[in-house]
Amino acid sequence: MELFTAFIAVFVCIIFVLIVAAVVRYAVDSSKTSRKLDLLMKEVRDLRAEVRRFQHAKEQEDNKHIIDEKV
């Protein structure tokens, strides 16, 4: 009888964990945090690309001055 009670307790615990997981997943999906995070990641990528472009342009500008000074 104790074994049967233990199986029922484990089964109830598993069902409870699944219900909690479903509620949490629904809450995350309904808050649209995934979309906001994707948008934020895109913005960061764009900013990094822009910073690289500015650094590359500045390096080219610095190289022009060095060549002009040597000549």
Side-chain angles (χ1 to χ4, degrees), residues 1-15:
M1 191 68 178
E2 292 177 18
L3 184 62
F4 182 69
T5 306
F7 282 136
I8 290 175
V10 169
F11 181 72
V12 169
C13 287
I14 290 172
I15 295 298

Side-chain angles (χ1 to χ4, degrees), residues 41-57:
M41 289 172 52
K42 182 182 179 295
E43 289 286 330
V44 169
R45 274 188 238 118
D46 292 343
L47 285 172
R48 285 181 179 171
E50 190 173 340
V51 166
R52 281 188 207 121
R53 271 188 261 125
F54 283 133
Q55 287 177 343
H56 185 67

Side-chain angles (χ1 to χ4, degrees), residues 12-65:
V12 169
C13 287
I14 290 172
I15 295 298
F16 180 74
V17 168
L18 291 175
I19 290 172
V20 169
V23 168
V24 169
R25 179 154 178 104
Y26 176 75
V28 169
D29 289 344
S30 66
S31 69
K32 301 176 185 173
T33 53
S34 299
R35 292 180 198 155
K36 291 177 185 176
L37 184 61
D38 289 340
L39 180 63
L40 180 63
M41 289 172 52
K42 182 182 179 295
E43 289 286 330
V44 169
R45 274 188 238 118
D46 292 343
L47 285 172
R48 285 181 179 171
E50 190 173 340
V51 166
R52 281 188 207 121
R53 271 188 261 125
F54 283 133
Q55 287 177 343
H56 185 67
K58 185 172 178 156
E59 287 175 2
Q60 286 180 348
E61 185 178 301
D62 290 344
N63 288 340
K64 287 180 184 177
H65 294 300

